[in-house]
Amino acid sequence: MADAKVIPFDDDRSRGASGQRSQRRRSTGSRGTGEPAAVHEVQFPAGGENPQDDGSVTGDDKAAAAGKEGGLDRRIAGGLAFLRRRLTGDYEVDDFGYDEELTDQVLMSLLRPLYEKYFRVEVKGIENIPSRGGALIVANHSGTLPLDGLMMQVAVHDHHPADRHLRLLAADLVFVLPVVNELARKAGHTLACTEDAQRLLERGEVVGVMPEGFKGIGKPFGERYKLQRFGRGGFVSTALRAGAPIIPCSIVGAEEIYPMIGNAKTLARLLGFPYFPITPTFPWLGPLGAIPLPTKWTIQFGEPISTDGYPPEAAEDPMLMFNLTDQVREQIQHTLYKLLVQRRSVFF
């Protein structure tokens, strides 16, 4: 559809010698005097209309309408081109299965309303993520379902000035679930193992890991915001080998979306899950109980911890790995407490 042509709302035939539009208005003169009626000429600016005519459409209005129409045309054309590429297979994925175009155009668009309107995520310290090169983001994990990782992914995608993408390391369970497995691969997630993480970091990607794992998202509500053990420090070893900075990340708000007041362990074993949560709404309300509570979130990226100054053999030093792991954990925990003190309400 072509852009609408803006036609000037004037006519040369209605202009006077000065180029101004004129409108003749006949006055009836004084009633009963017999005096001839006078003719008054009212001048209006060139190209304009009677200023008392509130129903007039200005050239700016028409230009704005044409711009909106053109923008809609471009969006429709872009959407059709996207569908054509998907149907013909004319798109690229990397060797991990990451589909950048699908992530940008579809997956992020689906998550964004939850991020912006429902959880109303506030992001701090995004400038601590480098503009280029590999970086390892280490975050706390909570919420019964791993929505915190997805919200962190949207935060990096939408707010980083260099338009960086976050590649999350996920647990084995993610890649055995139907549908979830395919979507996770398309969104850039990969298995939480040293080999995959190191390959991504060496390629200059921003990688996200949550070392608490299931111990973090499956902990009781009474232990909220208390970090669980960070494993054996494998993420530190990976960062040291790649020479990538470690960026601690603290997430507040996820703990309260599904307050876990119980764990049906027998049912969890039967289903092959690490835990089966019991919350104030689930399973009592059925599918409605799976709707998360609309808490207010804050995601803060801390100061990077540099690793490029260590020698190559440092990755094999257990004491160094323990110290760096403890440093990252303490920094995340300290920031969590600080954000909780600043928080006025769970929901507002």
Side-chain angles (χ1 to χ4, degrees):
M1 185 183 298
D3 291 346
K5 183 177 181 181
V6 180
I7 303 174
F9 195 68
D10 59 9
D11 190 326
D12 289 339
R13 292 172 297 181
S14 64
R15 296 179 183 271
S18 65
Q20 292 181 319
R21 292 192 59 197
S22 63
Q23 176 177 322
R24 293 183 179 272
R25 183 173 61 200
R26 184 172 296 277
S27 172
T28 58
S30 301
R31 290 192 177 184
T33 62
E35 295 179 359
V39 177
H40 302 278
E41 188 173 55
V42 181
Q43 300 290 335
F44 297 108
E49 187 51 85
N50 188 342
Q52 295 179 354
D53 185 5
D54 295 334
S56 62
V57 179
T58 66
D60 290 341
D61 292 335
K62 291 186 177 182
K68 290 180 180 179
E69 187 175 357
L72 179 61
D73 290 345
R74 287 191 295 271
R75 288 195 294 271
I76 293 175
L80 292 175
F82 172 78
L83 290 175
R84 183 171 62 251
R85 289 192 297 272
R86 309 312 297 186
L87 293 174
T88 59
D90 185 21
Y91 59 91
E92 297 180 356
V93 297
D94 67 8
D95 48 352
F96 292 94
Y98 175 45
D99 189 332
E100 183 175 342
E101 183 185 48
L102 182 68
T103 300
D104 290 344
Q105 300 295 327
V106 179
L107 300 181
M108 290 295 107
S109 298
L110 294 175
L111 291 172
R112 197 166 287 119
L114 191 66
Y115 174 92
E116 294 179 348
K117 306 299 183 182
Y118 199 76
F119 294 136
R120 296 147 291 148
V121 181
E122 179 184 0
V123 179
K124 300 179 179 180
I126 192 71
E127 67 279 358
N128 289 321
I129 302 175
S131 298
R132 61 177 63 89
L136 184 66
I137 298 177
V138 182
N140 59 304
H141 207 11
S142 62
T144 305
L145 291 181
L147 295 180
D148 50 359
L150 298 176
M151 296 300 102
M152 185 169 65
Q153 187 176 12
V154 178
V156 175
H157 182 277
D158 285 5
H159 295 282
H160 198 279
D163 296 327
R164 305 217 63 180
H165 294 158
L166 178 63
R167 308 291 296 272
L168 288 171
L169 303 180
D172 301 8
L173 180 61
V174 172
F175 300 103
V176 299
L177 296 174
V179 182
V180 174
N181 168 35
E182 187 67 20
L183 289 176
R185 290 288 185 187
K186 294 290 186 182
H189 305 172
T190 189
L191 191 64
C193 64
T194 303
E195 293 77 13
D196 286 0
Q198 187 169 345
R199 285 173 59 197
L200 287 170
L201 289 173
E202 290 173 349
R203 283 168 43 171
E205 300 282 359
V206 178
V207 179
V209 63
M210 294 172 162
E212 290 177 282
F214 291 121
K215 300 187 301 294
I217 57 174
K219 64 177 176 285
F221 186 66
E223 297 180 12
R224 60 192 180 279
Y225 297 115
K226 296 178 182 178
L227 293 183
Q228 306 298 300
R229 193 172 63 89
F230 267 21
R232 295 185 296 273
F235 67 91
V236 170
S237 176
T238 303
L240 287 169
R241 288 191 179 94
I246 300 173
I247 301 168
C249 176
S250 302
I251 304 174
V252 166
E255 293 276 15
E256 294 90 0
I257 61 173
Y258 295 111
M260 188 168 164
I261 58 176
N263 180 14
K265 296 182 179 179
T266 302
L267 187 56
R269 284 194 296 270
L270 291 175
L271 296 174
F273 295 158
Y275 56 86
F276 189 89
I278 297 175
T279 75
T281 58
F282 183 83
W284 327 114
L285 299 182
L288 289 177
I291 299 175
L293 297 178
T295 58
K296 175 73 172 64
W297 288 34
T298 301
I299 298 178
Q300 179 161 334
F301 298 97
E303 292 285 341
I305 299 173
S306 178
T307 62
D308 56 3
Y310 294 97
E313 60 271 15
E316 308 300 330
D317 185 347
M319 185 57 66
L320 175 62
M321 285 192 293
F322 174 81
N323 289 337
L324 285 177
T325 300
D326 192 56
Q327 180 183 350
V328 173
R329 187 178 182 279
E330 287 299 319
Q331 188 168 335
I332 295 173
Q333 184 70 80
H334 175 74
T335 304
L336 284 175
Y337 287 148
K338 184 174 66 174
L339 292 174
L340 288 171
V341 169
Q342 296 172 353
R343 185 171 68 166
R344 294 178 300 168
S345 167
V346 173
F347 298 101
F348 304 102

